[in-house]
Amino acid sequence: MSTAKRAISDHDIKRLMRCGVAEVIVEAELAKLLRSGRKLRLKEGFDPSFPDIHLGHMVALKKLRQFQEMGHQVILIVGDWTGRIGDPSGASVTRPMLSAEQVKANAETYLKQFFKIVNKGKTEVRWQSEWYDKFTLGDVIQLTSKFTIAQLLARDDFSKRYRAGQPITMTEFLYPLLQAYDSVAIQADVEFGGTDQKFNLLMGRELQSMVGQHPQQLFLVPILAGTDGQQKVSKSLGNYIGVAEPPEEIYGKVMSIPDSLIMQYFELVTDVSDQELAEFRQALEHDTVNPMELKKRLAREIIVQLYSQKEVSQAEEHFTRVVQNKEMPDEIRQVNITEELLQKIKGRKMTEDGFLAGIREVGSPDETTEWCVSVPLLLCEIGLAKSRSDAKRLIAQESVRIDGKTIYETNSNIRVGSIIKVGPRRWVQMIG
RNA sequence: GGAGGGGUGCCGGAGUGGUUAAUCGGAGCAGACUGUAAAUCUGCCGCCUGGAAGGGCUACGCAGGUUCGAAUCCUGCCCCCUCCA
């Protein structure tokens, strides 16, 4: 039997179970396990229908790493079966079944991000299909016979929907059961999850004891609010910060969270010390700090965990320059001026005295040629507007600039090297 | 098997014959303001055409029909949900 590498102090245990933790079930038992010196099996599940890891996940993953550092074993479960059902929490929209290839691709994406935070060497990756592919109808019946409808309806989410006359499918009821069985299959000692997973994790506990295993402990972490400050993080709302996003993007998104969320983010996804957090809280309350400064710090703290120090500075520089000083970013998308493009956007070559007729003579761009083009068509073609109507609106709103000049007219001149800017942060450079 | 409810724009959700490209909210976009991409305020928010005023097209599950005119009425079909058995 393997053991954790060192004895653990009560102080360590306390720290582990306090910061960034919503609830531990059962605290005393987990503490006992930790003290036993045994190498614990820590379960973390992942639903391959959504492969991106965001800051909300980081709360639990950071905890996993802390446990790993104390010598424990992480078992990551790829929910290739439950992923097909879709997590019932929230509105019941039946998800399309994922194909095997999709699941595999998603899992790959996920793992790459997962191991940005969690130690790969101390992680065992298991697929649900390892056991569920062999499941027979008999097995399913046996599993379902262990739980009652009343038990499942005890879940707040289910009972609400039931009372409201909203549909609940059988497969949704199956979801917690499968998740519970996972714990049995891998003999989990501790399962990690957000507070919204409490019910499901408890089912695991229950099932384990029914089959004679020692029931797992639950380690529940708080749910991080979405960047919009009110909604739960969701893909369709796009209100989350993905750990795989480029540093500048993360920086920007952090700056875009409502000021009211600053402390929550600090507490849950950074390693800033308690004393400093207290200072921040004070400062915010007494208005002695510009919240923006704190957010900048927050952004740095988050990015440094995912990238190097160098990228942190770059991201910050980028923000200062592009957002605060409204200057041009380092790298902007470039679009070739081709004959084809010019034709599409009704480009006409300029001479000193006026226009040349279209189609011919548009080619062979050189540094000095200028073309008079239809701006709405141009914006559409280079992807800065969704449609011509959209482009016209943007012009009417005086948000389109070419080489620094605001465009008010439908037609305007461009040449090789022209910089097209729409709104505060959409840039394109025309090249030859 | 029986009874009932419903399918509207990215999402939620109004609207029961014309003044409805369709109230409102959210999201999104733009502008103002701010040493934040925060908060707040304002505007925009189907597509095409026009410099603009305007014009045209497409749209309220699908297919027909009634009507000068339909998201709204009728017929058929498809789909979804709840309850009782």
Side-chain angles (χ1 to χ4, degrees):
Chain A
M1 159 140 335
S2 50
T3 57
K5 60 182 168 198
R6 63 181 162 87
I8 183 169
S9 72
D10 286 356
H11 174 77
D12 286 341
I13 292 180
K14 212 165 213 161
R15 207 185 47 122
L16 193 63
M17 293 209 224
R18 204 192 50 220
C19 319
V21 182
E23 190 178 3
V24 176
I25 300 171
V26 179
E27 209 164 316
E29 284 186 40
L30 180 58
K32 206 169 125 194
L33 278 176
L34 286 169
R35 274 194 217 98
S36 75
R38 189 159 67 83
K39 186 174 184 179
L40 299 177
R41 296 175 64 74
L42 316 171
K43 174 189 171 194
E44 164 80 18
F46 130 70
D47 179 342
S49 53
F50 183 63
D52 284 320
I53 295 184
H54 52 68
L55 289 190
H57 298 119
M58 231 171 109
V59 185
L61 301 193
K62 280 166 67 72
K63 277 290 159 193
L64 280 178
R65 198 188 45 199
Q66 284 180 26
F67 274 79
Q68 279 183 323
E69 278 161 11
M70 302 190 318
H72 301 292
Q73 176 74 45
V74 169
I75 295 107
L76 176 70
I77 300 204
V78 180
D80 54 342
W81 273 94
T82 43
R84 301 187 187 183
I85 297 171
D87 193 337
S89 38
S92 69
V93 182
T94 314
R95 295 201 206 163
M97 293 267 275
L98 295 176
S99 71
E101 300 87 73
Q102 275 177 310
V103 171
K104 216 180 137 199
N106 286 358
E108 239 163 69
T109 310
Y110 183 90
L111 288 174
K112 220 167 95 192
Q113 298 173 26
F114 187 78
F115 293 129
K116 269 189 157 180
I117 300 152
V118 179
N119 185 329
K120 190 173 181 175
K122 292 174 184 161
T123 302
E124 182 183 324
V125 179
R126 303 289 299 274
W127 293 61
Q128 281 182 324
S129 48
E130 288 172 37
W131 44 93
Y132 288 134
D133 279 358
K134 295 189 209 107
F135 247 52
T136 64
L137 182 58
D139 293 324
V140 175
I141 289 171
Q142 203 178 17
L143 177 60
T144 52
S145 71
K146 306 236 188 245
F147 296 94
T148 67
I149 298 297
Q151 274 177 301
L152 289 158
L153 281 178
R155 176 167 152 168
D156 186 51
D157 171 62
F158 282 143
S159 65
K160 262 197 201 126
R161 277 163 65 188
Y162 187 69
R163 268 183 276 127
Q166 280 169 354
I168 303 169
T169 63
M170 303 277 285
T171 45
E172 288 177 284
F173 272 166
L174 219 43
Y175 193 98
L177 302 194
L178 294 184
Q179 196 171 327
Y181 185 82
D182 290 340
S183 294
V184 172
I186 64 154
Q187 307 198 24
D189 292 309
V190 187
E191 179 161 5
F192 289 69
T195 49
D196 57 345
Q197 288 288 309
K198 184 170 171 179
F199 180 89
N200 293 353
L201 307 205
L202 279 168
M203 296 283 280
R205 220 178 128 73
E206 213 150 324
L207 188 63
Q208 280 178 307
S209 55
M210 282 187 215
V211 302
Q213 284 187 14
H214 194 80
Q216 66 185 3
Q217 310 306 315
L218 315 188
F219 203 94
L220 302 169
V221 300
I223 303 296
L224 188 76
T227 51
D228 54 5
Q230 29 199 328
Q231 309 270 8
K232 219 170 78 174
V233 167
S234 95
K235 191 180 190 179
S236 52
L237 291 174
N239 61 350
Y240 63 89
I241 303 176
V243 301
E245 294 186 57
E248 307 88 59
E249 198 63 23
I250 296 179
Y251 198 100
K253 282 193 179 180
V254 171
M255 295 308 286
S256 84
I257 65 170
D259 293 353
S260 57
L261 246 46
I262 294 175
M263 288 318 295
Q264 191 192 343
Y265 271 62
F266 262 116
E267 281 161 21
L268 298 183
V269 292
T270 70
D271 297 314
V272 174
S273 73
D274 288 356
Q275 294 105 296
E276 219 177 343
L277 289 184
E279 279 167 33
F280 291 170
R281 205 170 288 119
Q282 276 280 321
L284 277 174
E285 263 168 40
H286 297 91
D287 273 336
T288 53
V289 65
N290 183 334
M292 178 194 68
E293 295 301 336
L294 282 185
K295 278 204 266 191
K296 283 187 165 183
R297 169 74 188 276
L298 179 62
R300 288 196 296 266
E301 291 287 342
I302 289 169
I303 297 168
V304 79
Q305 296 179 67
L306 302 165
Y307 293 94
S308 70
Q309 191 59 50
K310 185 175 145 229
E311 279 146 326
V312 172
S313 333
Q314 279 172 354
E316 180 147 289
E317 226 170 87
H318 178 269
F319 181 82
T320 311
R321 199 175 56 230
V322 178
V323 179
Q324 296 193 294
N325 301 338
K326 301 186 198 309
E327 287 167 25
M328 199 169 69
D330 265 351
E331 286 177 20
I332 64 177
R333 200 154 55 84
Q334 300 190 313
V335 174
N336 271 50
I337 299 182
T338 60
E339 197 167 327
E340 194 194 355
L341 176 70
L342 285 168
Q343 281 179 19
K344 274 191 187 152
I345 63 177
K346 297 186 184 165
R348 299 207 280 172
K349 190 172 174 177
M350 296 285 291
T351 60
E352 306 79 48
D353 44 345
F355 297 139
L356 280 183
I359 302 156
R360 66 196 178 84
E361 304 243 21
V362 292
S364 64
D366 56 70
E367 306 307 307
T368 56
T369 317
E370 277 195 70
W371 296 272
C372 176
V373 302
S374 157
V375 180
L377 287 174
L378 172 70
L379 295 182
C380 269
E381 285 305 317
I382 63 179
L384 289 180
K386 283 181 294 208
S387 65
R388 292 201 60 180
S389 306
D390 186 36
K392 284 183 193 171
R393 274 177 231 128
L394 290 167
I395 294 170
Q397 289 171 146
E398 301 182 8
S399 73
V400 180
R401 286 166 164 261
I402 295 179
D403 296 326
K405 280 179 299 190
T406 305
I407 303 300
Y408 301 95
E409 304 283 320
T410 299
N411 291 309
S412 183
N413 292 358
I414 61 164
R415 56 192 166 69
V416 170
S418 281
I419 306 284
I420 323 285
K421 183 193 181 200
V422 173
R425 51 194 171 118
R426 280 179 281 172
W427 302 78
V428 163
Q429 179 171 38
M430 306 308 297
I431 57 171

